[in-house]
């Protein structure tokens, strides 16, 4: 298996993984390695078995599964070219912590423990380099495991008339910003390999040639045929991810290529399937996405207008794991400041690819995910919240102090203007999520599908203040109780490489200079004094109740901030949670703060690597 191109690729990968070692030491290490081929669906290592070797992935793709307490195995990580697997076994006698399975045919090199022990006696620096790998793994093991960027991507048409070749060329141009790209179809393979002999020999020749192409490129796009031909089957078998290209204007039926090339694959060989719904350039808002998703087990879905370069560029960033995710925290009327941040990001040329948020942050995130001109979004938001959305008090407050009808009207008006009042979360142009609290299950609820207006009402339903929302038989309320600044969710999103977070928490904790809470009459008299002469700096009842609901979220703030690549926290101490009448002023404060942050050299370098 020591083909010349694999040898060359191995040399590059060893230099990347152990760059601190000199050439002579790397050569000694290389002599101790043995080649390993793993067929798609084959198990490389089993959880619980003794560990006696380390692996380095040279080509292909593998997936790690963990099973605990008799539960079904869950996928925890995908591993591609250049990743080290099982290195802990060289230092300890602990059993394997995960089962690793090849998603597709993969090539690796193995370093056995006995050889490693002999090696570090001769070259101690090898042990130091591996120790650094382990330390890095331990430092990141509690963070959501990123999805490794797919090297080989199959573009599979699942609707008649889809221009897969045209999309592949556009996608290749955008991916070229991040590395070397090659587009292949059946004709290109035929021209390169030529006619073959028997089927088995032909299959081997094409496999070796594809491996060589893969070793020389960062991204390989395989354009499948319109039907389930042998080339289409090979594309699906050889790919790290399969992009299902569908014409959104057609019926969401399962294509014959899906049935024959994807549904009937061997267990655990399934590459992730990504549904790419293609739209005309003048489409205002997608519709009917849920019907497409209901018929196929996809890992994700994206909406693309192939005639718009920015849509193709967004798809490229997602597939290259370079997408920008924006997380917007809750905070009542302070959430208007998020619109100012969006303005500043647009002025700085920063494209936001995925959005998510909680409470009022979820509303602003949904407006951003509609992908409409920002001036129109501003006008729609200003009009929707012109009337105080929390001013319709309940005469019989049996479950909430506020009826919530005004907020519902505001949401209907805003969504109806941008995407349609009946839109689903799946119908937004940009990937979106919001957080609610599942009161019935006492848990955080991640909402990524279903009716958008209902999801936003659930995410903003402050306990006791606004009526809860019933979803799938459970009672849902404001997500701020569990996760008001859901950066961790964005970090785990497929495709996201950079996370921007906008936090609305206030920094200053004020010490009180009195020992007992005054009587209601004393507080009332104090409120009549000018602000600067007041003795009792206590929060209003509404602010006290609202802030009390997010205390647990506040305790997670430090970890959420650390998980951001770029962090915004506008100074809104003088803005109340219910200051709905100050729309333009709050937007301007958010914009001014964002400009200050974006002017920092470190921030600019992170957003434009």
């Amino acid at each position: 298996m020591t083909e010349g191109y694999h040898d060359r690729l191995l040399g590059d990968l060893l230099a990347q993984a152990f760059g601190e070692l000199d050439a002579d030491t790397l050569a000694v290490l290389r002599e101790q390695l043995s080649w390993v081929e793993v067929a798609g669906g084959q198990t490389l290592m089993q959880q619980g078995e003794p560990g006696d070797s380390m692996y380095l992935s040279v080509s292909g793709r593998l997936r790690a599964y963990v099973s605990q307490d008799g539960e079904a195995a869950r996928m925890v990580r995908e591993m591609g070219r250049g990743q080290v697997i099982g290195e802990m076994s060289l230092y300890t006698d602990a059993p394997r912590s995960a089962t690793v399975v090849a998603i597709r045919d993969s090539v690796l090199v193995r370093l056995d423990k006995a050889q490693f022990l002999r090696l570090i006696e001769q070259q101690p620096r090898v042990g130091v380099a591996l120790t650094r790998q382990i330390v890095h793994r331990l430092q990141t093991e509690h963070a959501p495991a990123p999805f490794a960027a797919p090297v080989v991507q199959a573009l599979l048409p699942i609707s008649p008339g889809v221009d897969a070749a045209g999309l592949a060329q556009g996608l290749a141009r955008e991916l070229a910003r991040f590395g070397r790209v090659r587009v292949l179809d059946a004709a290109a393979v035929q021209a390169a390999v030529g006619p073959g002999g028997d089927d088995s020999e032909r299959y081997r020749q094409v496999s070796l040639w594809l491996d060589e192409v893969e070793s020389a490129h960062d991204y390989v796009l395989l354009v499948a045929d319109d039907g389930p031909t042998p080339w289409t089957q090979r594309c699906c078998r050889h790919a790290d991810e399969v992009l299902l290209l569908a014409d959104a204007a057609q019926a969401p039926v399962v294509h014959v290529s899906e049935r024959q090339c994807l549904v009937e694959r061997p267990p655990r060989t399934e590459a992730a399937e990504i549904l790419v719904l293609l739209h005309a350039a003048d489409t205002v808002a997608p519709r009917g996405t849920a019907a497409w998703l209901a018929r196929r087990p996809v890992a994700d879905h994206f909406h693309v207008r192939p005639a718009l370069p920015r849509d193709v560029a967004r798809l490229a960033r997602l597939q290259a794991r370079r997408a920008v995710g924006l997380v917007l925290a809750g905070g009542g009327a302070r959430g208007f400041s998020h619109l100012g941040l969006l303005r500043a990001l647009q002025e700085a040329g920063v494209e936001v690819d995925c959005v998510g948020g909680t409470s009022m942050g979820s509303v602003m995130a949904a407006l951003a995910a509609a992908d409409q001109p920002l001036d129109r979004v501003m006008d729609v938001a200003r009009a929707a919240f012109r009337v105080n959305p929390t001013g319709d008090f309940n005469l019989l407050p049996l479950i909430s102090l506020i009826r919530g009808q005004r907020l519902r009207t505001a949401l209907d008006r805003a969504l109806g203007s941008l995407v349609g009042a009946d839109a689903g979360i799946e119908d937004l142009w940009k990937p979106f999520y919001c957080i609610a609290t599942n009161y019935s299950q006492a848990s955080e609820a991640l909402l990524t599908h279903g009716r958008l207006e209902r999801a936003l009402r659930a995410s903003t339903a402050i306990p006791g203040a606004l009526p809860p929302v019933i979803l799938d038989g459970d009672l849902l309320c404001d997500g701020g109780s569990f996760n008001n600044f859901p950066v961790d969710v964005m970090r785990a999103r497929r495709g996201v490489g950079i996370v921007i977070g906008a936090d609305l928490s206030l920094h200053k904790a004020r010490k009180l200079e009195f020992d007992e809470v005054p009587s209601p009459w004393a507080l009332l008299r104090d409120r009549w004094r000018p602000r600067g002469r007041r003795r009792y700096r206590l929060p209003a009842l509404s602010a006290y109740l609202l802030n009390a609901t997010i205390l647990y979220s506040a305790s997670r703030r430090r970890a959420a901030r650390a998980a951001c690549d770029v962090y915004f926290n506008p100074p809104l101490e003088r803005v109340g949670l219910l200051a709905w009448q100050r729309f333009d002023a709050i937007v301007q404060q958010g914009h001014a703060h964002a400009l200050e942050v974006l002017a920092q050299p470190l921030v600019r370098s992170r957003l434009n690597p």
Side-chain angles (χ1 to χ4, degrees):
M1 190 59 243
T2 55
E3 301 288 344
Y5 56 88
H6 273 142
D7 278 335
R8 293 192 299 272
L9 181 57
L10 175 59
D12 293 339
L13 295 177
L14 288 174
Q16 293 171 17
F18 308 109
E20 65 210 68
L21 302 180
D22 57 54
D24 292 339
T25 305
L26 281 174
V28 173
L29 170 60
R30 188 164 176 168
E31 291 174 357
Q32 307 303 316
L33 302 175
S34 56
W35 291 96
V36 177
E37 294 185 37
V38 186
Q42 183 178 340
T43 298
L44 177 68
M45 60 181 67
Q46 189 74 40
Q47 181 179 351
E49 70 180 13
D52 58 358
S53 57
M54 177 204 83
Y55 297 87
L56 175 67
S57 175
V58 178
S59 69
R61 197 172 187 87
L62 303 102
R63 188 175 288 164
Y65 297 87
V66 170
S67 179
Q68 294 178 330
D69 302 324
E71 297 179 354
R74 60 184 178 89
M75 192 276 286
V76 294
R77 186 181 296 270
E78 285 188 359
M79 295 154 288
R81 177 198 298 171
Q83 292 191 273
V84 178
I85 305 168
E87 69 272 26
M88 288 290 288
S89 67
L90 300 182
Y91 290 85
T92 71
D93 294 323
R96 298 291 193 189
S97 60
T99 297
V100 177
V101 179
I103 300 176
R104 65 179 179 90
D105 296 348
S106 303
V107 177
L108 309 94
V109 289
R110 180 179 62 220
L111 177 62
D112 292 325
K113 186 170 185 176
Q115 294 167 316
F116 170 70
L117 294 176
R118 287 196 299 269
L119 181 61
I120 59 175
E121 289 181 1
Q122 305 169 13
Q123 299 285 350
R125 284 176 294 180
V126 174
V128 174
L130 277 173
T131 300
R132 293 184 190 277
Q133 286 275 340
I134 293 172
V135 169
H136 176 72
R137 173 76 62 85
L138 292 175
Q139 288 175 336
T140 59
E141 68 175 350
H142 297 298
F147 292 93
V151 177
V152 181
Q153 304 175 40
L155 280 68
L156 176 64
I158 61 170
S159 295
V162 167
D163 183 10
L167 181 63
Q169 293 299 329
L171 184 58
R173 284 192 295 271
E174 297 297 336
L175 285 172
R177 303 172 187 268
F178 311 117
R180 301 158 298 173
V181 188
R182 182 76 178 271
V183 179
L184 298 174
D185 58 12
V189 174
Q190 175 75 14
V193 180
D198 60 60
D199 290 344
S200 61
E201 178 59 23
R202 169 72 175 176
Y203 192 92
R204 179 180 178 278
Q205 289 176 351
V206 174
S207 295
L208 290 174
W209 185 76
L210 288 175
D211 279 348
E212 186 167 6
V213 171
E214 179 182 347
S215 71
H217 295 84
D218 299 292
Y219 307 100
V220 178
L221 305 182
L222 305 179
V223 183
D225 296 328
D226 292 333
T229 63
W231 168 246
T232 297
Q233 292 173 340
R234 179 183 286 277
C235 290
C236 296
R237 179 176 175 83
H238 198 80
D240 296 327
E241 289 189 357
V242 180
L243 302 183
L244 306 177
L245 309 183
D247 182 349
Q250 298 187 29
V253 297
V254 176
H255 193 269
V256 61
S257 293
E258 292 180 272
R259 289 197 300 269
Q260 295 190 20
C261 301
L262 298 177
V263 175
E264 299 175 2
R265 287 177 296 180
R268 286 187 170 176
T269 58
E270 66 275 9
E273 298 170 28
I274 312 297
L275 176 64
V276 181
L277 287 167
L278 306 176
H279 303 264
D282 60 352
T283 303
V284 176
R287 275 293 180 276
T289 309
W292 285 93
L293 297 175
R295 287 165 170 78
R296 43 189 58 82
V298 298
D300 214 334
H301 77 281
F302 305 130
H303 294 284
V304 175
R305 290 159 287 193
L308 300 186
R310 63 190 178 93
D311 277 22
V312 180
R314 179 167 65 243
L315 178 62
R317 288 190 294 271
L318 288 161
Q319 289 304 104
R321 307 306 189 244
R322 304 291 189 92
V324 175
L326 176 63
V327 183
L328 305 180
R334 295 173 187 151
F336 293 146
S337 66
H338 295 320
L339 296 174
L341 168 59
L342 290 171
R343 171 78 71 192
L345 290 173
Q346 183 184 80
E347 293 168 349
V350 177
E351 289 283 350
V352 172
D353 301 303
C354 306
V355 284
T358 299
S359 197
M360 192 61 177
S362 73
V363 177
M364 298 297 106
L367 300 185
D371 198 30
Q372 300 289 332
L374 189 54
D375 286 338
R376 173 165 166 71
V377 171
M378 293 278 194
D379 292 340
V380 166
R382 184 186 294 107
F385 289 95
R386 180 168 287 125
V387 177
N388 179 357
T390 55
D392 52 335
F393 293 98
N394 253 327
L395 296 178
L396 292 174
L398 300 180
I399 195 167
S400 64
L401 297 173
I402 300 169
R403 291 176 58 207
Q405 190 57 47
R406 286 190 183 180
L407 177 60
R408 188 168 189 167
T409 299
L411 293 176
D412 283 341
R413 184 179 300 156
L415 297 178
S417 298
L418 295 176
V419 296
D422 61 340
I425 293 176
E426 309 92 330
D427 295 322
L428 292 168
W429 285 114
K430 297 181 179 181
F432 167 88
Y433 67 86
C434 67
I435 302 296
T437 293
N438 189 318
Y439 177 88
S440 302
Q441 305 294 333
S443 64
E444 178 179 324
L446 172 62
L447 304 180
T448 59
H449 65 277
R451 189 175 175 187
L452 178 59
E453 181 268 341
R454 180 181 286 258
L456 296 182
R457 279 196 293 117
S459 186
T460 55
I462 302 166
L466 287 161
V469 173
I470 299 174
L471 192 63
D472 296 330
D474 287 339
L475 210 59
L476 269 59
C477 57
D478 192 295
S481 299
F482 269 91
N483 197 352
N484 196 51
F485 188 30
V487 177
D488 57 325
V489 179
M490 186 63 78
R491 272 286 171 214
R493 290 283 306 193
R494 178 183 298 273
V496 173
I498 298 173
V499 174
I500 299 173
D503 185 11
L504 300 181
S505 300
L506 303 181
H507 295 288
K508 300 174 182 177
R510 183 186 299 129
K511 286 290 185 181
L512 302 178
E513 298 177 354
F514 44 93
D515 297 327
E516 295 288 344
V517 175
S519 69
W521 287 111
L523 284 174
L524 182 61
R525 287 194 300 270
D526 193 57
R527 294 287 170 87
W528 285 101
R529 296 189 178 102
R531 183 179 293 272
R533 296 177 54 192
R534 291 178 185 174
R535 295 176 55 194
Y536 306 121
R537 302 289 183 178
L538 290 171
L541 176 60
S542 58
Y544 177 66
L545 292 175
L546 292 175
N547 286 320
T549 65
I550 62 171
L551 289 180
Y552 174 66
S553 287
S555 70
R556 303 169 63 179
R557 177 170 174 258
R558 180 176 299 178
R561 177 175 182 173
C564 292
D565 296 295
V566 180
Y567 176 77
F568 296 87
N569 186 212
L572 300 170
E573 287 82 2
R574 294 186 176 277
V575 177
L577 294 170
L578 304 180
W580 306 107
Q581 75 284 1
R582 297 180 58 188
F583 180 92
D584 289 300
I586 297 171
V587 170
Q588 181 55 39
Q589 284 181 266
H591 181 255
H593 172 73
L595 291 179
E596 291 179 8
V597 174
L598 291 172
Q600 299 172 14
L602 180 59
V603 170
R604 289 201 302 269
S605 66
R606 287 180 175 176
L607 292 176
N608 299 285

